[in-house]
Amino acid sequence: MAALFATRQKDPSPAMTDEEYAKFCEFFYRKTGIQFQAGKKYFVDRRVADRIEKTCSESFRDYFTMVRFQVTGEELQFLVNAMTVNETYFFREDYQFDALIGGILPEVARSKRRNEPIRIWSIPCSSGEEPYSIAISILERWSQADSWNIEISASDIDSKILHEARTGLFGERSVSRVSAQLRSKYFLPRPDGSFQICDELRESIDFSLVNVVNPLHTHRFRDIDVIFCRNLLIYFDDVGRRETVEMFFDALSPGGFVCLGHSESMSRMSSIFLPRKFGETIVYQKPLSAE
């Protein structure tokens, strides 16, 4: 037994020196806007070590050279997937869905012609719980839903989690806040205890890979009416936050809204949005007169 245990031991030495860790964090920040502090070194180091092993690189130096100069960018995407944390569930922070149905959408609709679509963007969408929650909320609770063409886009930087979102397969924890009535209407229970969301919902949402610091990814998002960006900006520094909310400003239609996470405040990032209170939550509006 001792010999077997010994074969399972991994080299506990770090993949990166402190100097290499600093270089790696600077590179990852430039590519993604995500900032890792010193306290995250073990988290980052273990994931980099795993990628070094999987790519058969001889050292961190060899691996880092490959990531920086690989033409396809494939390994950088694997690295991004490894570094991002995806933890969510249906109807999380549901007071914002209340605001969407009770205040935001009626206000957006009043400014639209009937032939104009209402566009909603969920970023980061993780494994899909948020955009699917938005769709279900609208279908179930907004009386004008059938009168409008509603387009829901959902984006994430993690290609693996986007595949899961498109597949629409969820465990019990993800659907724990979904009522029995909504489960029976929108989900198909599977023998393994998971739940498959219905095809109509899966096919109604446009999932796409988007890195918010890459203008080539974000330029196509224009005339958006509502952006859900919850618990992303906490991973950015002040510069990254400001640049991201300015990108959102450009993406929104005049009068459009941004919904942030409960621990995020636009006032600490930018003054270009107007705070608006709907029920129990504050959201942020692009002025109608914005050019």
Side-chain angles (χ1 to χ4, degrees):
M1 183 65 71
L4 176 61
F5 179 79
T7 64
R8 293 178 178 175
Q9 294 295 309
K10 289 189 175 182
D11 182 2
S13 61
M16 297 175 283
T17 66
D18 289 345
E19 182 180 356
E20 289 170 337
Y21 177 70
K23 289 180 179 178
F24 174 84
C25 289
E26 192 273 333
F27 166 79
F28 200 77
Y29 168 76
R30 284 190 288 104
K31 291 295 185 180
T32 69
I34 297 172
Q35 189 174 50
F36 293 119
Q37 303 296 337
K40 285 285 187 179
K41 187 174 188 298
Y42 180 81
F43 168 88
V44 174
D45 196 273
R46 290 303 87 202
R47 282 152 182 78
V48 169
D50 182 63
R51 293 311 307 167
I52 290 173
E53 181 180 350
K54 283 184 166 60
T55 57
C56 299
S57 300
E58 293 186 1
S59 64
F60 169 77
R61 181 177 179 178
D62 289 342
Y63 175 75
F64 194 39
T65 299
M66 183 261 290
V67 170
R68 286 182 296 163
F69 297 108
Q70 187 183 46
V71 174
T72 64
E74 182 181 28
E75 181 53 30
L76 176 59
Q77 185 62 60
F78 280 121
L79 189 60
V80 167
N81 294 356
M83 293 295 176
T84 49
V85 177
N86 298 284
E87 176 102 15
T88 188
Y89 49 86
F90 279 83
F91 302 114
R92 184 179 186 180
E93 298 179 11
D94 55 358
Y95 49 84
Q96 289 195 335
F97 300 116
D98 294 340
L100 177 70
I101 302 305
I104 294 173
L105 284 178
E107 187 166 323
V108 168
R110 285 194 293 271
S111 68
K112 294 275 186 181
R113 299 185 184 93
R114 285 292 181 180
N115 62 341
E116 291 181 307
I118 293 175
R119 296 189 173 98
I120 302 172
W121 185 18
S122 167
I123 180 170
C125 68
S126 188
S127 43
E129 286 90 337
E130 180 174 274
Y132 289 130
S133 294
I134 292 169
I136 293 171
S137 295
I138 292 172
L139 290 170
E140 290 294 313
R141 299 175 55 197
W142 193 37
S143 60
Q144 299 184 52
D146 292 337
S147 302
W148 293 93
N149 175 22
I150 301 170
E151 300 175 359
I152 301 177
S153 300
S155 307
D156 205 283
I157 196 173
D158 184 334
S159 60
K160 182 174 180 290
I161 208 70
L162 276 171
H163 174 72
E164 294 180 20
R166 292 188 185 101
T167 302
L169 194 62
F170 302 98
E172 175 63 38
R173 184 184 182 280
S174 286
V175 301
S176 61
R177 301 193 66 189
V178 180
S179 69
Q181 183 262 332
L182 293 180
R183 287 193 196 192
S184 65
K185 187 172 183 178
Y186 294 105
F187 296 83
L188 177 67
R190 294 165 57 98
D192 63 358
S194 62
F195 296 84
Q196 174 76 63
I197 203 158
C198 66
D199 290 344
E200 289 80 6
L201 280 185
R202 286 197 305 116
E203 294 167 1
S204 69
I205 296 174
D206 176 29
F207 288 100
S208 62
L209 183 72
V210 169
N211 180 346
V212 295
V213 304
N214 187 339
L216 295 177
H217 287 190
T218 60
H219 79 279
R220 73 179 182 90
F221 292 92
R222 291 293 181 268
D223 300 319
I224 305 297
D225 296 296
V226 187
I227 296 174
F228 278 78
C229 179
R230 307 193 295 181
N231 306 313
L232 169 68
L233 300 179
I234 56 176
Y235 298 103
F236 291 5
D237 66 359
D238 290 343
V239 173
R241 292 186 190 106
R242 185 174 63 252
E243 291 177 348
T244 301
V245 300
E246 288 173 355
M247 181 271 290
F248 288 158
F249 190 89
D250 291 339
L252 284 168
S253 296
F257 295 87
V258 177
C259 300
L260 299 178
H262 72 277
S263 64
E264 299 166 313
S265 173
M266 187 71 76
S267 64
R268 294 196 290 267
M269 307 176 205
S270 173
S271 60
I272 57 178
F273 287 90
L274 304 174
R276 294 283 307 278
K277 187 170 185 181
F278 291 98
E280 300 179 17
T281 189
I282 294 175
V283 300
Y284 302 92
Q285 186 176 30
K286 178 176 179 176
L288 284 166
S289 59
E291 296 297 329

